[in-house]
């Protein structure tokens, strides 16, 4: 259940940003969680619901962008979609693949009032 | 002048919305502290290893054996991570090695912040080896950099050989895999070749060492690996 640690870090970031902007409330938060990160969506949602209670994010609208896993083969330069972090190149079968996207784990933006 | 109501420049609407472009990595705080730990290790020439595995694969036994066998050659210290009890720290203490126990309580992994505070109380000697034994868990510790030089994942032949496929994040982020309890191979259906195939499929760069902490088989290879990694200090 490391998702709870992740949610607590998000709360912390939001709180600090809101304080800095002297905001009263956060209306919307946009996250970027890549498909290849070790985040289980159901655990995340469960942790989220519990953690935001009584916090500055209590009534926030949560938007999550899920970038697809994209890899580039280091041998033949093929660019392809990855379902797993260890997917081999579908063309030349090389296991040496550079992950181009899918590992994002960011707070992108907040809408505050 | 405000375009909404025509008021002066000091006026703030109660429901005024503002978009903050945060663009911050969620793990940034952990990663910054991990880098701080890493700098400390580099500065003191400490070779820090993060040991991860599922519960019961033999992390503590491997440490006990290693600490006893190499104590004349290398200087060691250990950080033990468990949810509860100081049992593992007691086992390490019995080998005569400096050890600190971190109890994570309900937590399922160590993070860089916990290590940062543990280090403050340890006063580690320069040119030494630090083993950080993580909480027994192949999922959660994978995302948390502690500042270690290398991550060592341990699996044992009493587990399924498909562990690397089931928990790819952990095996993907490790530099070395130790396959433990090889003395039990004749009695269990574990397919060693398949295990290695799966390991290399998930992480083509991973090194693999097979050992038995019970009969000592393969331990010399692990010791050589360890000694080869401990950098010779600058004169």
């Amino acid at each position: 259940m490391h998702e709870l640690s992740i949610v607590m870090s998000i709360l912390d970031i939001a709180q600090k940003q809101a304080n800095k902007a002297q905001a009263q409330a956060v209306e919307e938060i946009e996250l970027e969680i890549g498909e290849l990160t070790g985040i289980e969506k159901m655990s995340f949602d469960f942790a989220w619901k519990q953690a935001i209670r009584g916090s500055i994010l209590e009534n926030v609208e949560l938007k999550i962008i899920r970038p697809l896993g994209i890899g580039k083969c280091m041998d033949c330069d093929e660019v392809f979609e990855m379902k797993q972090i260890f997917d081999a190149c579908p063309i030349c079968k090389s296991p040496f693949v550079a992950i181009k996207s899918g590992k994002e784990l960011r707070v992108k933006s907040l809408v505050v009032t | 002048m405000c375009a909404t109501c025509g008021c002066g420049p000091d006026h703030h609407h109660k429901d005024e919305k503002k978009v903050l472009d945060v663009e911050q990595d969620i793990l940034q705080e952990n990663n910054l502290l991990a880098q701080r730990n890493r700098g400390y290790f580099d500065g003191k020439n400490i070779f820090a290893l993060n040991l991860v595995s599922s519960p019961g694969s033999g992390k503590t036994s491997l440490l006990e054996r290693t600490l006893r066998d190499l104590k004349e050659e290398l200087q060691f210290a250990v950080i033990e991570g468990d949810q509860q009890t100081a049992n593992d720290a007691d086992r390490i203490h019995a080998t005569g090695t400096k050890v600190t126990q971190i109890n994570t309580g309900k937590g399922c992994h160590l993070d860089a912040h916990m290590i940062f505070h543990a280090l403050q109380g340890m006063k580690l000697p320069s040119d030494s080896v630090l083993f950080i034994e993580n909480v027994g868990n192949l999922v959660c510790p994978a995302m948390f950099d502690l500042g270690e030089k290398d991550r060592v994942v341990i699996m044992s032949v009493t587990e399924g050989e498909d562990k690397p496929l089931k928990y790819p994040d952990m095996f993907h982020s490790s530099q070395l895999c130790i396959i433990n309890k090889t003395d039990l191979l004749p009695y269990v259906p574990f397919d060693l070749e398949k295990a290695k195939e799966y390991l290399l499929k998930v992480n083509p760069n991973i090194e693999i060492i097979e050992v038995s902490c019970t009969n000592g088989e393969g331990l010399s290879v692990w010791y050589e690996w360890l000694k080869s990694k401990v950098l010779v200090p600058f004169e």
Side-chain angles (χ1 to χ4, degrees), chain A residues 1-2 5-6 9-10 12-13 16-17 21 27 38 85-86 95-96 105-113, chain B residues 16-27 29 108-109 139-140 143 168-169 172 201-202 204-205:
Chain A
M1 207 34 199
H2 55 291
S5 306
I6 299 293
S9 300
I10 296 170
D12 196 42
I13 292 169
K16 280 185 186 149
Q17 291 285 338
E27 284 199 354
I85 46 166
F86 58 87
F96 296 95
L105 194 57
R106 306 168 70 78
V107 177
K108 273 192 77 66
S109 64
L110 298 172
V111 177
V112 297
T113 52
Chain B
E16 197 174 350
K17 285 187 191 181
K18 205 158 39 162
V19 179
L20 308 176
D21 284 320
V22 183
E23 295 292 347
Q24 188 178 330
D25 196 303
I26 293 169
L27 288 170
E29 185 136 337
C108 47
H109 57 267
V139 186
C140 308
M143 289 183 81
D169 288 301
H172 190 76
K201 183 181 158 90
V202 170
N205 295 312

